[in-house]
Amino acid sequence: MKRKWLNMGFLVLLSMILALAGCSSNQTAKKSTGTTQNKSSGEKVLKVALTSDATRLDPHFNSTASDLTVTQPIFNGLVRFKPGTVSGEEIEGDLAESWEMNQEGTIWTFHLRKGVQWHNGYGEFTSSDVKWTFERLLDPKTGSPFNSELSVIEKVEAPDPYTAVFYLKNPDSAFLLRILMDGSAGAIVKKEAIEAAGKDSMVKPVGTGPFMLKEYKQGQKVVLEKNPKYFRGEPKLDRIEYLIMSDRNAIDVALEKGEIQMALGEGDQLWLQQMEKKTNMVLDFPEPNIFWGLFLNTAMKPFDDILVRKAIAHAIDIKKYVKEVYGSSSAGQLASGPIPSKIFGHADLGIYKYDPELSKELLAKAGYPNGLTLPPQFLSSRDTYVKLMTFIQEELRKVGINMELNKVDVPTYGANIRKDLNGLVLYGRSPKPHAAFALVDHYYGPSTVGMQTAKLNFSHFNKSDQLIEAAGKELDTNKAKEMYKEIQKQIMDEYVVVPLAQTKSVLVRSKNVVLGYDFKGTMSYFYPITETTSIK
């Protein structure tokens, strides 16, 4: 009897020890990094920090860097830039295996891959998906910001399941760039999936890419899981977790601890110097340049007066800002005209001369001898915007122009400037590598914010519309360059934008991340994540 009680006591004691061990193990797991948990489960999970929420995962409505970052691994286009590049010479087939155009450059025929499968059991990708995608984009009722970018398309036909034919209104030397997956205008979507999602279509993306949506929690995270049926082969990663993290210090600590493996960096030279000391991190400065401009709304007083616009332009010592913030690093340099450099058609026109005394004289001529108080302006809470816009605010104050700034989150800022609520719009963007895109997006009448065909024309500039249209049709590259140069001169003469700086996206990743390609550039402001991306 005594032995029986001893045995029972031993079993109880053993159970308590095991239970305590289990508790200890669970507590440790909660405190440990995602990397440790991934090893124990055998899964490869890449964790990525997003500085703002991704709210538009329908690629035809992407509006922020976070939207672009998340949708990039979900969708495919007919063509794409070779991963890690942004050169027009590096365009390759994606959902199309090959293509050709007629002698006039007005008919493009694409031969599609066979057997490509949509996510979530929506069947095989065919030319009818291509036709419906572009008809959706071209329908003004859809309200896609890419509508005007694709307006050169007359119609799309699908003569058989694996052939798609585009008929253009006129020749267009930039046509392949227009329909790239990179930048989302050319992302192919599934009609049935969008209709089934209904009002939730913005957060229930269905594509053909290497990863598909698993979980979406607004303001918290987006989780993608691998698509084992991906036509280029099963992805090496099991999941991607995009975590919304707006605090710079929190992101840097999480990188150091291995809790995340990828993030946007900062162009500030102090931050760069600190990160360069981290032996477990890799810094990347991908092409293309991000052009930063201060766009002046000519439809709003007092910015409708060119004297006021000139006063603002000559009051900003942007050379001082670039030197203080970027120093000798490759992350930032002065702008050289109203569009980014290193793209086809760019003309080196420099920046406006810093002359605060001239600014004061111009204000006096405009009827403001005692200075001017501008309406309150919205400001993005993103650190790059805050630094640059508060610098501009102080520069304007020195010449007698006072301006209140109302800081809002990134999505709200994007929405407000598209509603035409700002007179001064600070905006940074890297368009596709052809002047046609930057000029149409920012300086073409139909692209004016507030219009049904709106894109990013915050200044309401429309005086070069005919020349922009003519340049887009010109297949002679030398003639096109001359036309683009004249357009940029017209823009500078009207003072509708103050060219500020050109920066590169600063990206940071753990050395444990294997991209799977040579990384030179990206159109999504972030690392392309493909089926070849992995973690050591």
Side-chain angles (χ1 to χ4, degrees):
M1 192 75 172
K2 186 175 180 181
R3 175 185 289 274
K4 182 177 180 182
W5 281 108
L6 285 171
N7 288 341
M8 288 178 66
F10 174 75
L11 289 172
V12 170
L13 179 62
L14 180 62
S15 298
M16 291 174 65
I17 292 170
L18 290 172
L20 287 169
C23 291
S24 174
S25 175
N26 288 338
Q27 289 171 359
T28 302
K30 289 178 182 177
K31 294 179 181 178
S32 66
T33 66
T35 305
T36 303
Q37 292 178 33
N38 298 342
K39 287 180 180 178
S40 64
S41 65
E43 290 188 320
K44 289 188 175 182
V45 181
L46 179 66
K47 297 194 175 185
V48 178
L50 295 180
T51 55
S52 65
D53 203 1
T55 58
R56 294 177 173 231
L57 303 186
D58 181 329
H60 297 167
F61 294 89
N62 283 170
S63 62
T64 68
S66 292
D67 295 341
L68 287 166
T69 298
V70 175
T71 55
Q72 175 269 316
I74 298 175
F75 294 93
N76 295 100
L78 291 174
V79 293
R80 69 175 187 176
F81 283 127
K82 184 179 178 182
T85 70
V86 289
S87 167
E89 286 74 45
E90 296 283 358
I91 293 176
E92 65 178 15
D94 198 9
L95 291 172
E97 290 185 320
S98 62
W99 58 90
E100 67 266 357
M101 69 174 180
N102 67 346
Q103 189 172 357
E104 294 75 24
T106 55
I107 301 175
W108 291 72
T109 303
F110 293 85
H111 306 284
L112 311 181
R113 293 179 185 269
K114 297 178 181 179
V116 175
Q117 297 297 310
W118 287 98
H119 301 163
N120 302 341
Y122 275 98
E124 186 183 9
F125 156 77
T126 67
S127 59
S128 62
D129 298 315
V130 178
K131 178 178 170 64
W132 187 81
T133 289
F134 285 94
E135 288 177 344
R136 180 195 192 215
L137 284 160
L138 291 169
D139 186 351
K141 294 179 182 177
T142 302
S144 170
F146 300 112
N147 174 279
S148 61
E149 185 171 316
L150 300 167
S151 61
V152 70
I153 300 171
E154 180 70 45
K155 63 178 179 177
V156 182
E157 291 185 350
D160 64 63
Y162 304 110
T163 306
V165 184
F166 288 72
Y167 295 83
L168 308 188
K169 297 174 184 176
N170 49 256
D172 180 17
S173 61
F175 179 64
L176 280 183
L177 290 167
R178 294 187 191 283
I179 63 168
L180 281 169
M181 165 57 206
D182 309 77
S184 293
I188 307 300
V189 297
K190 186 66 175 172
K191 175 184 178 182
E192 291 78 5
I194 289 173
E195 291 178 344
K199 64 179 182 180
D200 295 327
S201 62
M202 288 291 180
V203 293
K204 289 187 176 180
V206 172
T208 54
F211 294 89
M212 48 193 181
L213 182 71
K214 178 179 176 64
E215 182 181 6
Y216 177 87
K217 287 188 177 181
Q218 187 170 353
Q220 298 181 45
K221 65 179 179 179
V222 183
V223 180
L224 307 184
E225 62 183 348
K226 69 178 178 181
N227 173 14
K229 297 180 180 179
Y230 185 51
F231 62 85
R232 286 191 173 90
E234 184 173 344
K236 295 182 179 181
L237 292 171
D238 293 289
R239 290 199 314 277
I240 310 169
E241 294 186 6
Y242 298 99
L243 309 175
I244 314 303
M245 302 176 68
S246 59
D247 183 80
R248 181 74 256 170
N249 290 331
I251 292 172
D252 293 344
V253 170
L255 281 166
E256 185 67 24
K257 290 184 176 180
E259 295 169 347
I260 58 174
Q261 290 84 38
M262 282 183 172
L264 281 171
E266 290 289 335
D268 182 90
Q269 61 179 324
L270 181 60
W271 184 89
L272 289 170
Q273 289 168 0
Q274 293 174 339
M275 291 304 295
E276 285 169 351
K277 298 175 183 177
K278 310 287 185 183
T279 57
N280 59 336
M281 296 292 147
V282 176
L283 287 173
D284 291 294
F285 304 91
E287 296 288 348
N289 290 326
I290 299 172
F291 170 80
W292 290 91
L294 184 67
F295 295 86
L296 291 82
N297 189 339
T298 60
M300 183 183 295
K301 289 186 177 299
F303 311 105
D304 58 339
D305 187 338
I306 192 171
L307 293 174
V308 173
R309 300 199 300 270
K310 286 183 176 181
I312 291 171
H314 292 292
I316 302 169
D317 187 0
I318 192 60
K319 288 183 179 179
K320 176 184 177 183
Y321 179 86
V322 170
K323 182 178 180 180
E324 290 180 351
V325 174
Y326 301 107
S328 60
S329 78
S330 58
Q333 61 190 61
L334 287 173
S336 57
I339 64 175
S341 64
K342 297 186 178 180
I343 65 173
F344 175 82
H346 166 263
D348 188 354
L349 301 179
I351 59 174
Y352 295 117
K353 181 182 177 183
Y354 172 58
D355 191 339
E357 293 305 314
L358 175 59
S359 291
K360 293 175 184 178
E361 292 175 14
L362 290 165
L363 284 175
K365 288 182 181 179
Y368 305 103
N370 299 318
L372 169 65
T373 298
L374 300 177
Q377 303 294 311
F378 289 103
L379 167 64
S380 169
S381 61
R382 188 174 168 187
D383 189 54
T384 307
Y385 280 79
V386 173
K387 285 181 179 178
L388 183 47
M389 197 61 181
T390 52
F391 173 82
I392 291 170
Q393 179 188 42
E394 177 59 18
E395 291 292 279
L396 296 183
R397 186 196 63 76
K398 292 176 183 177
V399 299
I401 302 175
N402 296 301
M403 173 178 61
E404 178 185 340
L405 296 175
N406 294 333
K407 190 162 65 173
V408 294
D409 60 36
V410 176
T412 301
Y413 180 73
N416 286 353
I417 60 177
R418 285 170 174 81
K419 292 176 185 175
D420 213 18
L421 298 182
N422 265 30
L424 292 176
V425 176
L426 177 63
Y427 201 77
R429 181 169 176 261
S430 55
K432 293 174 183 176
H434 194 292
F437 295 97
L439 294 173
V440 168
D441 288 355
H442 292 288
Y443 308 106
Y444 182 55
S447 301
T448 301
V449 292
M451 297 181 66
Q452 194 172 30
T453 53
K455 289 185 72 88
L456 302 167
N457 185 350
F458 304 114
S459 66
H460 293 245
F461 180 73
N462 61 8
K463 295 184 178 181
S464 297
D465 283 6
Q466 290 185 348
L467 195 51
I468 288 174
E469 291 168 2
K473 299 174 186 177
E474 182 55 66
L475 298 182
D476 184 309
T477 57
N478 291 325
K479 290 181 180 179
K481 286 180 180 179
E482 285 302 312
M483 296 166 85
Y484 285 129
K485 183 177 182 179
E486 179 59 28
I487 295 165
Q488 291 165 72
K489 285 181 178 178
Q490 291 176 359
I491 292 167
M492 294 291 283
D493 288 344
E494 288 294 320
Y495 284 77
V496 295
V497 63
V498 182
L500 299 170
Q502 293 187 117
T503 63
K504 285 187 168 61
S505 294
V506 181
L507 304 179
V508 57
R509 56 188 163 102
S510 165
K511 281 190 174 179
N512 290 332
V513 175
V514 179
L515 295 176
Y517 53 84
D518 292 330
F519 187 52
K520 299 175 183 176
T522 173
M523 286 305 305
S524 65
Y525 302 94
F526 203 73
Y527 297 105
I529 299 175
T530 74
E531 75 284 357
T532 63
T533 304
S534 185
I535 302 178
K536 292 179 184 177

Coordinates of all heavy atoms in Angstrom, one line a residue, residues 27 56 61 83 95 114 138 191 213 240 268 289-290 362 409 441 449 457 475 479 485 491 497 509 521 533:
Q27 N 6.4 30.4 -22.2 CA 6.8 31.8 -21.9 C 8.1 32.2 -22.8 O 8.2 33.3 -23.3 CB 7.2 32.0 -20.5 CG 5.9 31.9 -19.6 CD 6.2 31.8 -18.1 OE1 7.4 31.8 -17.7 NE2 5.2 31.8 -17.3
R56 N -5.3 49.4 -49.9 CA -5.8 49.2 -51.3 C -5.0 48.1 -51.9 O -4.1 48.3 -52.7 CB -5.7 50.5 -52.1 CG -6.6 51.6 -51.5 CD -6.4 52.9 -52.3 NE -7.4 53.9 -51.9 CZ -8.2 54.6 -52.7 NH1 -8.1 54.4 -54.0 NH2 -9.0 55.5 -52.3
F61 N -5.9 50.2 -57.8 CA -6.2 51.4 -56.9 C -5.0 51.6 -56.0 O -5.2 52.4 -55.0 CB -7.5 51.2 -56.2 CG -8.7 51.2 -57.0 CD1 -9.2 50.0 -57.6 CD2 -9.3 52.3 -57.4 CE1 -10.3 49.9 -58.4 CE2 -10.4 52.3 -58.2 CZ -10.9 51.1 -58.7
P83 N 13.4 40.9 -62.2 CA 13.5 41.2 -60.8 C 14.8 41.8 -60.4 O 15.9 41.4 -60.8 CB 13.3 39.8 -60.1 CG 12.5 39.1 -61.0 CD 12.9 39.5 -62.4
L95 N 3.2 36.9 -67.7 CA 2.2 36.0 -68.1 C 2.2 35.8 -69.6 O 1.5 34.9 -70.2 CB 0.8 36.6 -67.7 CG 0.6 36.5 -66.2 CD1 -0.7 37.3 -65.8 CD2 0.5 35.1 -65.6
K114 N 0.5 28.9 -70.9 CA -0.6 28.0 -70.7 C -0.4 27.3 -69.3 O 0.7 27.1 -68.9 CB -0.6 26.9 -71.8 CG -0.8 27.5 -73.2 CD -0.7 26.4 -74.3 CE -1.0 26.9 -75.7 NZ -0.9 25.9 -76.7
L138 N -9.9 50.8 -68.3 CA -10.2 51.9 -69.3 C -11.6 52.5 -69.0 O -11.9 53.5 -69.6 CB -10.1 51.4 -70.7 CG -8.7 51.1 -71.1 CD1 -8.7 50.3 -72.5 CD2 -7.9 52.3 -71.3
K191 N -12.0 38.7 -62.8 CA -13.3 39.3 -62.7 C -14.2 38.6 -61.6 O -14.8 39.3 -60.7 CB -14.0 39.2 -64.0 CG -15.5 39.6 -64.0 CD -16.2 39.4 -65.4 CE -17.6 39.8 -65.3 NZ -18.3 39.5 -66.6
L213 N -3.1 35.8 -50.4 CA -3.5 36.3 -49.2 C -4.0 35.2 -48.2 O -4.7 34.4 -48.6 CB -4.7 37.3 -49.4 CG -5.2 38.0 -48.1 CD1 -4.2 39.0 -47.6 CD2 -6.5 38.7 -48.4
I240 N 4.9 35.3 -45.9 CA 5.4 36.7 -45.7 C 4.5 37.4 -44.7 O 3.3 37.4 -44.9 CB 5.5 37.5 -47.0 CG1 6.2 36.7 -48.1 CG2 6.2 38.8 -46.8 CD1 6.0 37.3 -49.5
D268 N 18.7 60.0 -43.9 CA 19.4 60.8 -43.0 C 20.8 60.3 -42.8 O 21.0 59.1 -42.5 CB 18.7 60.9 -41.7 CG 19.4 61.8 -40.7 OD1 19.1 63.0 -40.7 OD2 20.2 61.3 -39.9
N289 N 15.7 57.2 -59.1 CA 15.6 58.3 -58.2 C 14.2 58.6 -57.8 O 13.3 58.6 -58.7 CB 16.3 59.5 -58.8 CG 17.8 59.4 -58.9 OD1 18.4 58.7 -58.1 ND2 18.4 59.9 -60.0
I290 N 14.0 59.0 -56.6 CA 12.7 59.5 -56.2 C 12.8 61.0 -56.3 O 13.6 61.7 -55.7 CB 12.4 59.1 -54.7 CG1 12.3 57.6 -54.6 CG2 11.0 59.8 -54.3 CD1 12.2 57.2 -53.1
L362 N 9.3 90.2 -54.8 CA 8.2 89.6 -55.5 C 6.9 89.7 -54.7 O 5.8 89.9 -55.2 CB 8.5 88.2 -55.9 CG 9.6 88.1 -57.0 CD1 10.2 86.6 -57.0 CD2 9.1 88.5 -58.3
D409 N -1.8 61.2 -40.7 CA -1.2 60.0 -41.1 C -1.0 59.8 -42.6 O -1.6 60.6 -43.4 CB -1.9 58.7 -40.5 CG -3.4 58.6 -41.0 OD1 -3.6 58.9 -42.1 OD2 -4.2 58.2 -40.2
D441 N 1.6 62.3 -65.5 CA 1.1 62.1 -64.2 C 1.0 63.5 -63.5 O 0.0 63.7 -62.8 CB 2.0 61.2 -63.3 CG 1.9 59.8 -63.7 OD1 1.1 59.4 -64.6 OD2 2.7 58.9 -63.2
V449 N -5.9 66.7 -60.1 CA -6.7 66.1 -59.0 C -8.0 66.8 -59.0 O -8.2 67.9 -59.3 CB -5.9 66.3 -57.7 CG1 -4.7 65.5 -57.6 CG2 -5.6 67.8 -57.4
N457 N -1.6 65.5 -60.8 CA -1.4 66.9 -61.2 C -1.9 67.8 -60.1 O -3.1 68.3 -60.2 CB -2.1 67.1 -62.6 CG -1.7 68.5 -63.1 OD1 -1.2 69.4 -62.4 ND2 -2.1 68.8 -64.3
L475 N 8.0 58.3 -82.4 CA 8.8 57.2 -82.3 C 10.3 57.5 -82.6 O 11.2 56.7 -82.3 CB 8.3 56.1 -83.3 CG 6.9 55.5 -83.0 CD1 6.6 54.4 -84.0 CD2 6.8 55.0 -81.6
K479 N 13.8 63.3 -81.8 CA 12.7 64.3 -81.9 C 11.9 64.3 -80.6 O 11.6 65.4 -80.0 CB 11.8 64.0 -83.0 CG 12.4 64.3 -84.4 CD 11.4 63.9 -85.5 CE 12.0 64.2 -86.9 NZ 11.0 63.9 -88.0
K485 N 12.2 68.1 -73.7 CA 13.0 69.2 -73.1 C 12.2 70.5 -73.1 O 12.2 71.3 -72.2 CB 14.3 69.4 -73.9 CG 15.2 70.5 -73.3 CD 16.5 70.6 -74.1 CE 17.4 71.6 -73.5 NZ 18.7 71.7 -74.3
I491 N 7.3 74.1 -68.0 CA 6.9 73.9 -66.6 C 7.7 74.8 -65.7 O 7.2 75.4 -64.8 CB 7.1 72.4 -66.3 CG1 6.1 71.5 -67.0 CG2 7.0 72.2 -64.8 CD1 6.5 70.1 -67.0
V497 N 6.0 74.1 -60.0 CA 6.7 73.1 -59.1 C 8.0 73.7 -58.7 O 8.7 74.3 -59.5 CB 6.8 71.7 -59.7 CG1 7.7 71.8 -60.9 CG2 7.3 70.7 -58.7
R509 N 18.0 45.2 -44.9 CA 17.6 43.8 -44.7 C 18.6 43.0 -43.9 O 19.8 43.4 -43.8 CB 17.4 43.1 -46.1 CG 18.6 43.1 -47.0 CD 18.3 42.6 -48.3 NE 19.3 43.0 -49.3 CZ 20.3 42.3 -49.8 NH1 20.4 41.0 -49.3 NH2 21.2 42.7 -50.7
G521 N 17.4 47.8 -58.7 CA 16.3 48.7 -58.6 C 15.0 48.1 -58.4 O 14.8 46.9 -58.5
T533 N 13.2 34.1 -53.4 CA 13.6 34.7 -52.1 C 13.5 33.7 -51.0 O 12.5 32.9 -50.9 CB 12.7 35.9 -51.8 OG1 12.7 36.8 -52.9 CG2 13.1 36.7 -50.6

